[in-house]
Amino acid sequence: MLISPTPSTRRGARSHTRRTLLTFAGAASLVLGAAAAPAAALDSPGADDVETSDNVTHVANFPKPSPVDNTNSDLAFTGDYAISGNYDGFVIYDISTPESPKIVSTVLCEGGQGDVTVSGDLLYFSVDYPRTGEECGAAQSSPADPNAFEGMRIFDISDKSAPKYVSAVRTDCGSHTNTLVPGKDGTTDYIYVSSYAPSDRYPNCQRPHDKITIIEVDKDDPASAAIVNEPVLFPDGGNHDQPGLLRPTEGCHDLTSYPSKDIAAGACMGDGILMDISDPVNPVVTERVRDGNFAFWHSATFTNDARTVLFHDELGGGGAATCNERIGPNRGADAIYSLNGGELDFEGYYKIPRHQTDTENCVAHNGSLIPVPGQNFFVQAWYQGGVSLIDFNNPSAPKEIGYFDRGPINENRITSGGSWSAYYYNGYIYSNEIARGFDVLKVDDRRLKPAEKVTYEEFNPQSQPRYKPSR
């Protein structure tokens, strides 16, 4: 079912001159090899070969539905529904029977990136490709156009079969990702918008861009959503001279909040940071860390006790083959830090032990904790490296304890695909696959059984809930 506030038509392949993951992948190709071409059809005889560890079962796959069949991106969850972001909009799946997901609605509203966050009856959607207007169906524009729109769109999803477009908020440099910080009054949401890569040629994305944008949403009147602050996180300009750094700090790629503890972690291109968000309108950077092996600080996750933080390095921007012997185990990996007295102390790296072919884009990407109380387990997407289950109870010696992996999309040339996001939600793992659609995995592992007692009513991985048994 196609829902759009205004008439909309499909457009052809978009230009990737914009500040996006694929743009960064192109820059990284100068160092790492050819950037991944966009995936179209599966064009290799063994393209959909599936391999799993003994404790993982692939129980369902749902190909991307037309017309929302561009690049799949992030996921969010509410009740019996999974919301799949896509560069051209989003799809709502009924997952009440996880092994047989059903499409409830498809929303065509092009704008690129498509990070999604859910808050009650509201859905927040990131737009990072400029359009000629705020409305769905607006034509593609250019970042050089001062009147172009990028930023956040807000939808009412109280009727999952018929989402309604409510409003939009323009933000500088668009919205590459967005993070929810719920207000303590229960009626207000704060959306932390991350974006990056300014240019003197872009009137709405000027240097220096060392800030995030904070949008305040009255949940009873979401049409009044507006920017309330644009705090500068890097008054000194951030990291511009780290050896081997492919992109300097020019904003943040992603933030992860832990609202119950009033903290957030930021992955900001050349810097990893911690923030105090006790005043959500005025966050304060409390710690910064750099790593000579990191090319692009991409995202972060706290442990449930907030004593450990995993930062993820998106070496090659998601468009290069970096899971191989040549790149090695410490680049394009996770870096694990303990949090002691407010300071970050390095513990170790984790990278999937399964070498991929040179035609598979592969690097650390989005994941979430597997909610085993008192233990530290993680599920993570690795693009064409598949999905990895990680035991990091010993942060200096993390190890893979399960996996799901497909063969290359194309055995002759690197072609973009693989798992963008892989998250654990109410007993199953859901993966949004760039090219092959929406996957559901089931894990049978005694170490992870206690997680089945943790039930979420809503889950945004970049707004971490504190879990406990029988929640």
Side-chain angles (χ1 to χ4, degrees):
M1 181 176 185
L2 171 62
I3 309 295
S4 181
T6 58
S8 178
T9 58
R10 285 287 290 159
R11 298 182 59 81
R14 70 176 84 251
S15 167
H16 289 294
T17 59
R18 183 62 181 99
R19 308 171 307 273
T20 62
L21 178 148
L22 291 181
T23 304
F24 179 69
S29 71
L30 298 176
V31 177
L32 298 168
L42 302 179
D43 48 9
S44 171
D48 209 25
D49 292 343
V50 170
E51 292 185 2
T52 67
S53 54
D54 291 341
N55 57 350
V56 174
T57 303
H58 185 209
V59 298
N61 170 262
F62 212 113
K64 294 182 293 185
S66 180
V68 185
D69 53 6
N70 204 319
T71 297
N72 270 347
S73 57
D74 214 357
L75 293 166
F77 303 86
T78 178
D80 288 333
Y81 301 93
I83 302 169
S84 165
N86 183 281
Y87 277 28
D88 280 352
F90 60 92
V91 180
I92 299 181
Y93 291 93
D94 180 338
I95 55 170
S96 55
T97 304
E99 299 187 10
S100 300
K102 296 179 174 60
I103 291 179
V104 178
S105 58
T106 60
V107 176
L108 178 63
C109 198
E110 297 155 303
Q113 197 59 25
D115 260 27
V116 287
T117 298
V118 64
S119 178
D121 289 335
L122 298 178
L123 179 73
Y124 306 129
F125 182 92
S126 288
V127 177
D128 202 32
Y129 285 176
R131 316 301 294 184
T132 56
E134 297 176 353
E135 69 277 6
C136 294
Q140 181 179 347
S141 185
S142 162
D145 176 4
N147 298 313
F149 167 75
E150 301 173 275
M152 295 301 305
R153 289 180 174 137
I154 301 175
F155 293 84
D156 180 336
I157 58 168
S158 53
D159 181 352
K160 302 296 186 294
S161 67
K164 297 177 181 178
Y165 187 9
V166 175
S167 63
V169 179
R170 184 191 307 267
T171 62
D172 288 351
C173 300
S175 173
H176 196 71
T177 60
N178 73 86
T179 300
L180 174 66
V181 179
K184 292 179 171 59
D185 60 7
T187 63
T188 305
D189 281 341
Y190 298 95
I191 307 170
Y192 285 16
V193 176
S194 296
S195 55
Y196 60 90
S199 170
D200 295 338
R201 297 169 295 157
Y202 303 155
N204 298 322
C205 187
Q206 293 282 297
R207 294 189 178 100
H209 182 72
D210 296 319
K211 64 182 182 179
I212 60 172
T213 301
I214 300 176
I215 297 172
E216 183 177 82
V217 182
D218 180 343
K219 297 176 71 173
D220 294 327
D221 182 21
S224 67
I227 294 171
V228 292
N229 197 8
E230 295 178 297
V232 174
L233 304 183
F234 302 99
D236 65 351
N239 187 0
H240 281 250
D241 56 2
Q242 179 180 341
L245 187 68
L246 297 185
R247 292 288 289 268
T249 300
E250 295 175 318
C252 292
H253 179 279
D254 210 341
L255 303 172
T256 295
S257 67
Y258 199 158
S260 69
K261 294 185 177 291
D262 286 334
I263 56 176
C268 301
M269 304 178 71
D271 292 88
I273 63 173
L274 294 179
M275 294 192 294
D276 179 338
I277 58 170
S278 53
D279 178 357
V281 176
N282 297 289
V284 177
V285 175
T286 58
E287 173 73 339
R288 288 171 60 179
V289 65
R290 294 172 179 174
D291 187 321
N293 279 322
F294 262 42
F296 192 86
W297 294 73
H298 175 274
S299 48
T301 305
F302 292 99
T303 53
N304 193 51
D305 60 11
R307 294 178 181 173
T308 305
V309 186
L310 283 79
F311 286 100
H312 317 133
D313 174 23
E314 195 186 33
L315 173 69
T322 73
C323 298
N324 51 39
E325 185 175 4
R326 178 172 61 90
I327 299 299
N330 297 336
R331 301 177 64 214
D334 300 326
I336 304 172
Y337 289 81
S338 58
L339 184 53
N340 298 311
E343 295 185 355
L344 290 167
D345 295 328
F346 176 76
E347 296 285 355
Y349 293 112
Y350 172 80
K351 190 171 182 179
I352 58 172
R354 297 166 285 108
H355 284 165
Q356 305 294 301
T357 71
D358 288 338
T359 66
E360 291 178 282
N361 58 305
C362 176
V363 74
H365 215 239
N366 293 353
S368 73
L369 296 178
I370 300 175
V372 177
Q375 299 289 309
N376 294 325
F377 296 99
F378 192 66
V379 57
Q380 187 173 17
W382 288 78
Y383 289 112
Q384 285 195 71
V387 175
S388 181
L389 308 182
I390 306 163
D391 176 344
F392 66 109
N393 285 288
N394 179 353
S396 63
K399 58 185 179 181
E400 182 170 83
I401 60 170
Y403 66 88
F404 163 78
D405 194 2
R406 288 185 168 102
I409 289 176
N410 189 311
E411 294 178 349
N412 300 312
R413 62 184 177 89
I414 191 164
T415 303
S416 180
S419 180
W420 178 295
S421 300
Y423 301 132
Y424 182 98
Y425 180 72
N426 295 350
Y428 287 80
I429 292 169
Y430 298 89
S431 168
N432 220 21
E433 224 274 9
I434 291 171
R436 297 165 171 129
F438 180 69
D439 288 305
V440 185
L441 310 176
K442 181 66 176 174
V443 180
D444 183 10
D445 190 306
R446 59 178 179 78
R447 293 165 290 190
L448 307 180
K449 281 293 183 183
E452 297 177 7
K453 297 180 181 179
V454 177
T455 302
Y456 296 128
E457 295 179 0
E458 184 176 285
F459 184 49
N460 298 296
Q462 286 75 39
S463 181
Q464 280 190 230
R466 182 176 181 273
Y467 59 75
K468 55 186 178 180
S470 305
R471 175 178 171 178

